[in-house]
Amino acid sequence: MRTGEPLPAVGEVLAALATGLWHWDTATELVTVDAEAARLLGLPAEPTTLTEAQTRARLHPVDWNEIAGVVGLAVAEDTLAEVRVRIMDERGRVIRTVRSRSKPSYDPETRSFELIGTLQEVAEPTPGTPAGRTAVTGDWRRSREAFLLDAGRALAEARSTAEVLRVAAGLSMPGFSPDGLAVFGVSGDRLTIVGHHGHQPGDEDPFSHMSTVTDYPAAEVVRTGRAVYLSTPEQYKERYPVTWPLAQHFHRQSWAFLPLTVAGRTMGAWMAAFTHPVAFTPDERSVLTTVARMLAQALSRAGVAESERELTDGLQRSMLPTLGPEIPGMSVAARYIPTGGGLQVGGDWYDMIPLPGGTPSGGGRIALVIGDVQGHDVRAAGLMGQLRIALRAYASEGHRPDAVLSRASRFLHGITNGDAEKADPRFATCLYVEADPATGVLEIARAGHPDPAIRMADGTVLARPTAGGLPLGIDPDADYPTTTLALEPGETMMICTDGLIETGGHDLETGWQRIRTILEEHKGDLEELADALVQAVHGPSSHHTTGPLVDRREDDIAVLLLSREGESCGCGDTVTAPPTVRRTVLTVAQAEPERIAVARQQLRELLHDWTTADQVDSAVLLVSEMLTNVLVHTDADALLTAEVSGESGERRMRVEVTDAGDDLPHKRHPGELASSGRGLLLIELLAETWGVDPRGEGKSIWFELYESDGDGSGNGSGDGSGGVPEFGSWDA
């Protein structure tokens, strides 16, 4: 060509260079190629138009799948799309490898791509070589897929921002792992450093709180939402001369700054810096872009989770009370663990309320409350807060335990069932204890809640059945009877929600046995006991013994301990030798004959380590007889007091039943067919000693048994089969 002559057509130049032209419109699903491009595709060397299906048939299927990812990356970064693809003939054999370079554009209205590019035959590089690493196919592609799979799994499992950053720092990218990482956030118009790796402490100071309009790559990424790749220090210095001195002393050779985008919003930038030169081929950019997207999703999830935890923890802390001033003669410890539900907040609560008549320093009666509102959501937490305030108000007015729960039930029913259209019926279980520190007397009202447990001074643990009513909020007119117990010096009462018992696949029976073992074996103060109870049931199943149920879901846990000071109460730092007295007291009202079975069970638990089983059966039989006769032959209630004293192997058991009746019992001699009159005969036969003591109001009948060596000597327990009472008569 001579000087001054017009330039040849572009097509002629490309044909001379064995380079073809092609045009692909995904909206019409048509691909137009010129003669050279048709030849490279294995077709006759003439211009033609193909469908996507016809074009796909000429390409290796693995390479076809790679094209979509490369095109999407090029659109996102506003760069050229470059890929290597293998051309197949009609028999499925590879006839050549070509390189395609194109400039894609995206139409958001039709959601379609339009690409105009070139095709040129190239030699297939050897897999594993530096040249082979740039190909779409080959070993590097398989390594990349494995890396992305592992990275995605690790980032998906991260639960906090610190954990996400730790996972990102440990990622080993195939062939070009960065040695310096930094995650930038945005606060207003300033960049923040969320975390970094591969730098010394303090290195991040010049980049903290940098304006987003600064001539810095991360700031540009945040402004534009497009990645910045700098393959050499010269490129960095040329594009960002102002901030180049800040990056120069790190002695890095290549940098990639990628946007962290979630739901179309750029929330920050991720920097990957390399001490060796990186060309940032399309494959390498694809890996970095994919990691940036996964990192953005993981950081977003972690941020939301941390915000929820902070909100719910603050909500829970604001609702849960402090235990207040010290109680003269008593100690209190409490724990709350929100384990149930994704919000980590629920309806469990506890409270300690000073009652009217106390002194400013905290003396006088107190109320202890523990409860559980149905559900593990914000609604449950809100109802819990309202119910706790209502209970505190009713108690502060001076109402008795039964009246406090009755009013609370009416209150909860009203706020959850008031508006028929917006009604969200909920119920709550609750245990309310009014304690007198001076005497240790406990008055307990229960609304569908687990019974309290008493750890006696010698370590024996008893579940103390108490009268109760329906859970709060079900029946606005429900009644809640009161049970009176006495907490002796050295004894500890535990009240808890069902989460402490049933967490880990346990039912009420197996869960109670687990808790009872902890209470009996623990050596330490009250705070350590509270920690031991929580640690034994909370957390992964490897930390505790799981129960027989398949459902292993965890539940919120609330536990409250009240101890009356004395030897072995766990109130102090040291544990002295336990006293040799254990005692249980139980009232059986005229209208509650079913509590005789409770009395039998309480006596068996009190004597759980008694040497002779026959003596235990005899004691249970006599207690049934004595309580039954009070209910049948008097109009008064019966008060049972059972006490065990002495050292193991030489202990004395004393059981006393008191009532307000004036008639004293008399021994009778019933005939063979008589159905009553054998009460005192049984006591005389089975007891070591017994007696009847008149009182100012009423009387008391008692008996004693002495622990034997296990041969049954010392009592006439011959036919004491245990448990079937003879309905004898006290009167003549």
Side-chain angles (χ1 to χ4, degrees), residues 81-164:
E82 182 176 347
V83 294
R84 291 174 183 258
V85 294
R86 289 164 290 181
I87 306 301
M88 316 288 289
D89 62 11
E90 291 80 359
R91 297 182 181 181
R93 297 175 300 182
V94 177
I95 59 176
R96 63 177 57 88
T97 299
V98 300
R99 180 179 65 180
S100 170
R101 302 188 69 190
S102 61
K103 177 64 175 178
S105 60
Y106 179 71
D107 186 349
E109 294 184 0
T110 61
R111 296 184 178 181
S112 62
F113 293 96
E114 183 177 5
L115 295 89
I116 300 176
T118 62
L119 288 179
Q120 188 175 34
E121 185 172 4
V122 296
E124 175 67 28
T126 303
T129 64
R133 201 184 69 190
T134 63
V136 172
T137 58
D139 294 339
W140 190 85
R141 183 183 59 80
R142 288 187 289 271
S143 299
R144 181 195 65 182
E145 292 174 351
F147 160 74
L148 292 177
L149 182 62
D150 291 339
R153 181 168 55 247
L155 288 171
E157 294 174 355
R159 291 293 179 267
S160 66
T161 299
E163 190 173 352
V164 170

Side-chain angles (χ1 to χ4, degrees), residues 103 118 219 258 282 285-286 308 389 452 590 619 624 642 657 676 683 721:
K103 177 64 175 178
T118 62
L258 297 103
R285 297 202 309 272
S286 177
E308 287 182 350
I389 294 172
Q590 280 285 327
S624 291
V657 174
S676 63
I683 296 178
S721 57

Side-chain angles (χ1 to χ4, degrees), residues 8-22:
V10 174
E12 296 177 2
V13 175
L14 294 177
L17 299 175
T19 302
L21 285 174
W22 61 276

Side-chain angles (χ1 to χ4, degrees), residues 502-506 541 544 546-555:
E502 297 178 340
T503 292
H506 284 273
S541 58
H544 54 77
T546 55
L549 303 181
V550 176
D551 188 353
R552 302 288 171 84
R553 287 177 298 180
E554 295 184 339
D555 195 2

Side-chain angles (χ1 to χ4, degrees), residues 332-416:
V332 181
R335 296 291 184 273
Y336 173 77
I337 305 296
T339 58
L343 288 179
Q344 294 294 299
V345 65
D348 290 26
W349 88 96
Y350 64 83
D351 203 354
M352 187 179 84
I353 309 169
L355 297 178
T359 63
S361 61
R365 295 177 303 117
I366 62 166
L368 300 176
V369 188
I370 195 165
D372 181 4
V373 176
Q374 174 194 7
H376 298 290
D377 51 14
V378 175
R379 171 69 169 160
L383 289 175
M384 177 268 287
Q386 296 179 75
L387 185 58
R388 186 177 74 85
I389 294 172
L391 282 162
R392 178 173 279 269
Y394 297 141
S396 299
E397 289 176 353
H399 297 293
R400 304 299 298 166
D402 55 343
V404 170
L405 291 192
S406 295
R407 285 168 166 77
S409 182
R410 188 175 297 109
F411 169 80
L412 183 60
H413 184 274
I415 64 176
T416 58

Side-chain angles (χ1 to χ4, degrees), residues 49 275 287 396 571 686:
T49 298
T275 54
V287 169
S396 299
C571 305
L686 299 178

Side-chain angles (χ1 to χ4, degrees), residues 26 117 318 450 623 668:
T26 61
S318 66
V623 165
R668 300 177 60 190

